[in-house]
Amino acid sequence: MRALSGFLLTLYFAVCFTAVKGQGQQVRVDFYKDPFLVTVDRSVAVDIPQQFTAASFKKGYTDLSAAKYQPVIDSLLAYKAEHQLNDWLYYQLIRRVAQQISPKEDNYGQYTFYKWFMLSKSGYDARLAISHQKVIFYVYNNEDISDIPYFMVDGKQFVCLNIHDYANTNLNDDPPVPVSIPIAAATKAFSYKVTLMPDFKPENAIEKDVSFVYDRKQYHFKVKLNTDQQKAFTNYPGVSFETYFNIPLSKETYGSLIPLLKRNMKGMDEKKGVDYLMRFTRYAFLYENDNDNFGKEKRLSPGETLASNYSDCDDRAALFFYLVKEIYNLPMIALLYPTHITMAVEFSKPIGDPIVYNGKTYSVCEPTPQAENLGIGQMSAKLKNTPYHVVYAYEPLNKL
């Protein structure tokens, strides 16, 4: 049955691609709540050989530049503007459009070429390079990004968007050769910052039961999540602490969690409320380090932490930060130790052993399970004499 389903899927894509070559194809992407629709003219079909060369991509660009491609770009940019998609979420849309025009599993080089073309024609400085029949897809980015390859050109950092498709490849040992295709209007830097979460298809919404005990009382939550949102961040790289701490929850997740937390905390003073959030983050989720969970270091956004079966200290620090910011909007700092990260919050009066940073006093709030039952202002004994770095300091512009 699975083999038959795979055959039918391949046949479907083949029919769609043939339609592009013949009479044009209507591409429909049902990933976000509102479908993306565009008619792709038959002239947009180009032929990138399986055994591609730099000349193949250059010819493909010449052919596609002469085609009626602009309606596709205009539709993409209009959808991006209407739904306020940040660059990373816009790229997820481009990936899915490219998949319908030229399926990844049929011709990876051609699929990547279409992604590159759409991103470049959207104004981003994207590049292609070749490394022994690997097509490497880079984009200009001026942020602090880790765990993906990058190269410098004229003082500009370009990061690899498709390294996940070449597992265990070391591009330092096998340096890619750039394909020179100048596009004068493609100058924008690509950003991994996500400041607004779009609505995803409601059919793919799920509920997750979450519970924990506070003051001998059991609290239960049914958190609404979306599997498409999780897919959107599958290949999201290691970004700065500030960036991933501030990735927002979707409206559905927010609405299922934040009002209930506020209701549960009604009548608590600020200190007790933060203590409640600290213990929620600490005990409502199972712990596992990233190497065991993902096979590598991976920082989860607050929404991903809620969705994941397991999470580690940096994931919980991000979730705790988000909850305290959203409910109390207090100043906070993230303290990075050699093998741990924790949070500290500024209260009107410090609690326990204070942390002084830039003339302000903070109280440690440990959101990850420890051997000790730590309260606010208490630090694990194994960290008391360990040096740390403040890797993110949050100062509210306006108190909520």
Side-chain angles (χ1 to χ4, degrees), residues 14 22 47 50 52 58 84 96 100-101 150 156 171 204 208-209 222 227 250 265 270-271 329 331 355 360 381 385 388:
D47 183 23
Q50 292 280 2
F52 50 76
K58 290 177 181 180
Q84 301 178 64
R96 285 159 175 81
Q100 289 203 31
I101 295 175
Y150 71 93
K156 294 166 62 176
L171 295 180
N204 292 331
K208 180 180 179 180
D209 292 321
K222 286 190 176 294
T227 55
S250 67
M265 294 156 54
E270 191 173 74
K271 172 183 173 294
N329 201 28
I355 298 288
K360 301 182 70 174
N385 298 312
Y388 62 83

Side-chain angles (χ1 to χ4, degrees), residues 152-178:
M152 303 298 294
V153 177
D154 297 329
K156 294 166 62 176
Q157 172 182 272
F158 287 77
V159 297
C160 184
L161 280 168
N162 69 331
I163 192 61
H164 55 273
D165 289 325
Y166 296 114
N168 304 316
T169 295
N170 187 336
L171 295 180
N172 292 321
D173 295 339
D174 195 7
V177 178

Side-chain angles (χ1 to χ4, degrees), residues 83-103:
H83 295 84
Q84 301 178 64
L85 296 181
N86 294 118
D87 293 348
W88 175 255
L89 295 169
Y90 179 57
Y91 175 58
Q92 303 314 302
L93 176 63
I94 284 177
R95 288 179 59 227
R96 285 159 175 81
V97 173
Q99 175 67 16
Q100 289 203 31
I101 295 175
S102 178

Side-chain angles (χ1 to χ4, degrees), residues 187-213:
T187 59
K188 286 170 54 179
F190 181 91
S191 175
Y192 283 94
K193 291 185 177 180
V194 176
T195 57
L196 180 69
M197 195 65 67
D199 294 331
F200 290 83
K201 285 178 60 180
E203 304 95 282
N204 292 331
I206 58 174
E207 279 191 339
K208 180 180 179 180
D209 292 321
V210 175
S211 64
F212 83 116
V213 176

Side-chain angles (χ1 to χ4, degrees), residues 31 197 200 226-233 248-250 253 303:
F31 186 61
M197 195 65 67
F200 290 83
N226 193 292
T227 55
D228 281 339
Q229 181 180 338
Q230 294 168 246
K231 291 175 185 175
F233 287 88
L249 301 178
S250 67
T253 302

Side-chain angles (χ1 to χ4, degrees), residues 344-363:
V345 178
E346 183 190 20
F347 297 98
S348 55
K349 292 182 180 180
I351 304 162
D353 298 328
I355 298 288
V356 179
Y357 177 72
N358 283 352
K360 301 182 70 174
T361 305
Y362 300 82
S363 302

Side-chain angles (χ1 to χ4, degrees), residues 47-118:
D47 183 23
I48 304 294
Q50 292 280 2
Q51 299 297 313
F52 50 76
T53 62
S56 305
F57 292 120
K58 290 177 181 180
K59 183 179 185 303
Y61 178 72
T62 299
D63 292 346
L64 195 47
S65 296
K68 296 178 181 179
Y69 69 84
Q70 196 60 48
V72 177
I73 306 302
D74 291 343
S75 296
L76 282 166
L77 291 173
Y79 190 96
K80 179 181 188 290
E82 180 183 355
H83 295 84
Q84 301 178 64
L85 296 181
N86 294 118
D87 293 348
W88 175 255
L89 295 169
Y90 179 57
Y91 175 58
Q92 303 314 302
L93 176 63
I94 284 177
R95 288 179 59 227
R96 285 159 175 81
V97 173
Q99 175 67 16
Q100 289 203 31
I101 295 175
S102 178
K104 177 179 182 177
E105 58 273 22
D106 290 351
N107 187 328
Y108 183 78
Q110 190 163 276
Y111 158 78
T112 305
F113 171 81
Y114 276 109
K115 288 196 301 178
W116 165 79
F117 185 88
M118 286 185 278

